[in-house]
Amino acid sequence: MAGNYLDMFSLEGKTALITGANTGLGQGICLAYAQAGANVIGVARRSCQETAEKIAAVSGSFTEILADLSDLSVISRIVAEANAVCGRVDILVNNAGLIKRCDAVDVTVEEWDSVIDVNQRMVFFLCQAFAKGWIQDKKGGRIINIASMLSFQGGIRVPSYTASKSAVMGLTKALANEWSQHNINVNAIAPGYMATNNTANLRSDEQRGDEILSRIPAGRWGTPEDIAGAAIFLASEASSYVNGFTLAVDGGWLAR
């Protein structure tokens, strides 16, 4: 019986598309999915060569699609190229994100829109594009949106990012309400403070970095590997009755 339960976490024969696949959490999720048996398609603005090499080292399957996710017009091409590679995408991970740190009184319209375009508009319309196909073929699918601690909290000097990540959590609930009946599971992961490119400035600021670290019960910054288990769970049959939920992977940050 235990073996059957473990099989529920397998992604063998599935195809997963992950945005922001060239580095950080996106790269970590790509590698985790490849090790769980999935065919992985990585979408990024820059080369995913490093990700491809890591997946090749574990004998996994990886295909790269280069696209600028600030431009909604690329969606049709992403869907077409992904389907041409593997016939059908089963799992969509909206991981790509943009953060701009600035005092709220100084944020420009252009800065605001650039963050919202990638973190909110692209997330919704990518979800919509794949869900249309899944509803039509009646085979269902999995969507995992990458939210944030700032889906729950206000943060400091990142108003556009907070607004977009709050929207991601809300959209995850709203889409689950409509699409669960079609066997489409929509959930999100809210990473805590992770040692990635997005937090490089925070970690290089000794005072701010120490303040953050002292508030994390686990006593360390998270890593892309820490996201792997949650990402596999939400993409697999093990989470078949989990809908509209945002799972925090934060070392206990929200418990404080």
Side-chain angles (χ1 to χ4, degrees):
M1 182 63 72
N4 291 336
Y5 284 130
L6 291 176
D7 288 345
M8 295 172 66
F9 293 88
S10 172
L11 301 182
E12 197 71 38
K14 302 292 186 181
T15 295
L17 185 143
I18 299 96
T19 66
N22 60 314
T23 188
L25 298 185
Q27 184 179 90
I29 294 170
C30 285
L31 183 58
Y33 282 178
Q35 291 176 312
N39 300 310
V40 177
I41 300 172
V43 179
R45 186 174 59 179
R46 300 183 181 90
S47 170
C48 297
Q49 182 62 33
E50 184 178 79
T51 303
E53 291 172 356
K54 288 177 179 289
I55 290 177
V58 297
S59 301
S61 168
F62 180 79
T63 301
E64 171 189 273
I65 296 176
L66 294 179
D68 181 353
L69 294 176
S70 66
D71 180 3
L72 292 179
S73 70
V74 302
I75 291 176
S76 59
R77 177 171 64 84
I78 290 172
V79 173
E81 289 188 20
N83 288 337
V85 168
C86 294
R88 184 184 195 274
V89 171
D90 306 286
I91 302 154
L92 168 65
V93 181
N94 284 304
N95 165 74
L98 181 64
I99 188 168
K100 294 196 174 180
R101 301 183 187 279
C102 181
D103 291 342
V105 294
D106 295 324
V107 175
T108 67
V109 172
E110 291 76 16
E111 289 169 338
W112 178 274
D113 286 348
S114 67
V115 173
I116 298 300
D117 284 349
V118 174
N119 297 5
Q120 183 174 330
R121 294 180 76 226
M122 178 57 72
V123 167
F124 172 74
F125 285 105
L126 262 181
C127 288
Q128 182 192 69
F130 281 101
K132 284 180 178 179
W134 294 342
I135 291 171
Q136 185 174 19
D137 70 17
K138 299 182 180 179
K139 293 182 180 179
R142 300 296 169 104
I143 295 173
I144 300 156
N145 297 320
I146 301 303
S148 168
M149 289 296 94
L150 300 187
S151 300
F152 301 91
Q153 300 174 325
I156 299 170
R157 303 187 72 243
V158 285
S160 57
Y161 186 82
T162 299
S164 67
K165 291 301 184 177
S166 296
V168 166
M169 186 163 71
L171 280 172
T172 297
K173 296 174 184 177
L175 299 182
N177 287 342
E178 292 194 37
W179 296 344
S180 295
Q181 63 181 311
H182 299 292
N183 195 30
I184 298 172
N185 294 64
V186 187
N187 292 290
I189 296 172
Y193 282 90
M194 298 282 165
T196 65
N197 294 345
N198 273 356
T199 61
N201 289 340
L202 287 179
R203 287 180 287 117
S204 65
D205 182 331
E206 186 173 344
Q207 179 179 352
R208 183 80 176 109
D210 287 347
E211 288 174 353
I212 290 169
L213 190 60
S214 69
R215 193 186 182 284
I216 302 173
R220 64 177 177 84
W221 291 73
T223 67
E225 291 77 16
D226 290 317
I227 297 293
I232 291 171
F233 168 64
L234 291 176
S236 72
E237 289 305 310
S239 63
S240 61
Y241 200 57
V242 180
N243 303 86
F245 187 69
T246 297
L247 173 61
V249 181
D250 65 350
W253 176 274
L254 291 176
R256 288 292 291 269

